[in-house]
Amino acid sequence: MKTRKLNVLIGWGAAVLMMGSVAVEASPERDLKAFQTYFVEKFPLTKYSDFNNGVYSIDESFRQQWESIEEFPPYESFMEMGEEEWNKAFANGAGYASCFGEDVSAIRGFYPHWDSKREQVVTLEGEINRCRKDNGEKPLKWKVGTLAYLSAYIAYEGRGQKVDVVIPDDPKAVAAYEEGKRFYYAKRGQLNLACADCHVYQAGQHIRADLLSPSLGHTTGFPVFRAKWSGKSKSGDGMGTLHRRLGGCNKQVRAKPFKPQSEEYRNLEYFLSYMGNGMEWNGPSYRK
Amino acid sequence: MKIGKLITSGVAVIGFSMTMAITTTSIAEAASSVVDEGKSIAFNKKKGNCLACHRIEGGRMAGDIAPPILMMKMRYPNKEVLRAQIWDATASNPDTVMPPFGRHHILSESEVDKVTEFIYGL
């Protein structure tokens, strides 16, 4: 009699625990609220809509330099090259519009999203190369060059729309989101640092002379022209995609970067973009 | 005979104090070179890069993620505890952003020793 009672109790306890953990795991909405509240409270002087400007949203003197650079932005000529590429026909006569539609301004805000047929997160850059492959064209390099220019053109045309990433009520989509989140909070590399260590907990602090940007709105401004990525022959012409930046931040902590458009980085992009819901898309951008 | 003895012992005394003097300077020199080496390991961006996060006297462009390194003898009367913090900061705080320099082989045993000597004197 006594033992049965105990079993029932344990059974109950387990059920309650399970319910608890399900509720905790499957709540991107709750994560979003906590995440955004954290940054709003940490940076009371920053307007909410301004968090999409990276480090410039939290530092007045950097911001002034940046605003003057943005008046004649160094990414402009690359955007124009992207537009030319967009208008070029493939060898088969089709073009990018055959995959993405004629309205270029509607594209940026559509990615990233969960593709329930292919059961994976799809990204803008990933779909550009898929479009090329489907039309018999060679894929473009992922991190620099023409793909970054195209992405810049599409981003520019889609400026001002609100980020509105959806995590559908599909366990696989939620799992992809959770993977991205786990990646963000996991310590890695020889230096043992998580993305969140630098961009959540230490955001606003200096690491050497670099100010750490808050991760809220981190994906909205891509692709970016970075002074650091320009000039030296190896680093290219300055333009780079989001996945180039992710790889760079992994290398900084002496972790092996994942491949651009790997499942890891797509899921990470999914999580990070979702955290920016409600911000405006504002790429391409200039960064130091 | 007497004089001879005196002279010999005098020489012995002089000899002894000279050796003493030599030994003392070389210990001091060795110590200061260990501290200097520790300092350059601590400041080197490819090694300790402690300035990424800590303000340390004599270092430029320091970050402000972590507490400044000051009065270490007061905070760490036991040098071994200080060394342990540098060797693996996650042992006392699993969430810390301070890299586990020894445990992750960012620095070797002897480099950690040298950095400890340098930090201990601050």
Side-chain angles (χ1 to χ4, degrees):
Chain A
M1 193 59 200
K2 256 189 177 162
T3 18
R4 260 187 63 195
K5 219 173 176 178
L6 200 66
N7 277 338
V8 170
L9 270 173
I10 290 170
W12 254 102
V16 168
L17 268 175
M18 273 172 65
M19 272 168 61
S21 69
V22 167
V24 166
E25 266 184 30
S27 183
E29 294 88 352
R30 204 152 63 186
D31 292 352
L32 179 64
K33 192 133 191 286
F35 197 82
Q36 299 196 340
T37 306
Y38 170 84
F39 286 105
V40 166
E41 285 173 359
K42 193 174 173 79
F43 300 102
L45 299 177
T46 300
K47 264 205 344 231
Y48 175 72
S49 60
D50 210 43
F51 276 107
N52 58 0
N53 290 318
V55 91
Y56 309 110
S57 68
I58 58 169
D59 185 285
E60 194 48 44
S61 64
F62 285 159
R63 183 167 185 113
Q64 283 170 8
Q65 295 168 24
W66 171 73
E67 279 177 349
S68 69
I69 292 169
E70 283 276 353
E71 281 175 29
F72 301 99
Y75 50 75
E76 204 156 37
S77 56
F78 298 110
M79 244 163 55
E80 283 160 13
M81 285 155 75
E83 182 172 10
E84 270 171 42
E85 172 67 21
W86 174 269
N87 288 319
K88 250 194 243 161
F90 298 140
N92 67 3
Y96 292 103
S98 68
C99 307
F100 291 98
E102 297 289 341
D103 182 3
V104 184
S105 74
I107 303 171
R108 179 58 270 187
F110 190 55
Y111 299 96
H113 66 250
W114 178 254
D115 183 325
S116 55
K117 276 208 205 88
R118 282 146 72 201
E119 299 193 329
Q120 63 172 59
V121 173
V122 294
T123 65
L124 173 60
E125 285 81 7
E127 290 308 277
I128 291 175
N129 264 344
R130 193 160 93 106
C131 176
R132 293 179 60 89
K133 244 176 86 196
D134 288 351
N135 284 283
E137 297 284 322
K138 271 209 226 124
L140 301 166
K141 278 203 232 156
W142 288 122
K143 295 191 288 188
V144 296
T146 308
L147 188 74
Y149 311 157
L150 265 171
S151 169
Y153 168 60
I154 293 168
Y156 186 76
E157 293 295 316
R159 269 190 186 181
Q161 290 175 8
K162 294 267 164 76
V163 179
D164 184 18
V165 177
V166 176
I167 316 286
D169 192 13
D170 167 345
K172 286 185 173 152
V174 175
Y177 164 86
E178 290 290 341
E179 279 300 313
K181 176 174 142 190
R182 205 165 303 140
F183 192 108
Y184 204 72
Y185 287 90
K187 286 184 175 286
R188 67 185 67 244
Q190 195 183 27
L191 300 190
N192 202 44
L193 289 164
C195 314
D197 281 336
C198 287
H199 295 294
V200 178
Y201 306 115
Q202 301 297 337
Q205 301 301 121
H206 295 82
I207 190 154
R208 284 263 182 181
D210 284 329
L211 183 62
L212 291 165
S213 57
S215 63
L216 182 56
H218 242 178
T219 66
T220 58
F222 278 81
V224 299
F225 176 97
R226 277 190 88 194
K228 234 186 209 155
W229 286 343
S230 75
K232 287 171 249 146
S233 56
K234 245 180 76 184
S235 45
D237 55 23
M239 290 300 291
T241 57
L242 176 63
H243 289 207
R244 180 181 185 185
R245 178 79 241 195
L246 301 183
C249 274
N250 272 164
K251 278 192 228 161
Q252 268 188 135
V253 300
R254 303 184 194 161
K256 195 166 174 280
F258 289 87
K259 294 224 164 68
Q261 301 303 325
S262 57
E263 189 175 9
E264 286 83 359
Y265 282 175
R266 279 185 286 108
N267 291 345
L268 179 59
E269 180 176 342
Y270 193 41
F271 164 75
L272 211 48
S273 305
Y274 178 75
M275 287 296 133
N277 269 0
M279 309 256 94
E280 274 183 17
W281 288 104
N282 61 343
S285 318
Y286 171 82
R287 291 292 185 263
K288 220 166 33 147
Chain B
M1 195 58 191
K2 240 182 183 175
I3 293 173
K5 228 183 177 178
L6 263 174
I7 291 173
T8 353
S9 59
V11 170
V13 167
I14 292 169
F16 181 71
S17 62
M18 270 174 66
T19 348
M20 274 295 284
I22 289 166
T23 332
T24 327
T25 36
S26 61
I27 286 174
E29 264 168 21
S32 79
S33 82
V34 165
V35 167
D36 286 347
E37 279 180 58
K39 180 175 179 174
S40 66
I41 295 162
F43 286 7
N44 184 332
K45 286 194 185 177
K46 301 221 158 77
K47 292 283 187 179
N49 198 16
C50 315
L51 291 168
C53 302
H54 295 276
R55 269 193 291 122
I56 303 175
E57 197 189 326
R60 292 179 54 240
M61 301 235 287
D64 55 12
I65 284 179
I69 302 279
L70 281 175
M71 293 190 271
M72 281 292 126
K73 278 192 192 113
M74 300 248 286
R75 301 206 21 77
Y76 295 88
N78 180 350
K79 208 195 275 184
E80 278 311 303
V81 178
L82 177 62
R83 188 185 192 276
Q85 167 71 20
I86 301 169
W87 175 263
D88 181 9
T90 67
S92 65
N93 172 10
D95 297 326
T96 185
V97 293
M98 177 159 159
F101 287 96
R103 184 167 63 84
H104 273 197
H105 307 290
I106 303 164
L107 299 176
S108 69
E109 293 274 358
S110 95
E111 287 172 331
V112 172
D113 287 339
K114 289 170 184 163
V115 170
T116 307
E117 288 302 330
F118 164 58
I119 294 292
Y120 192 61
L122 294 171

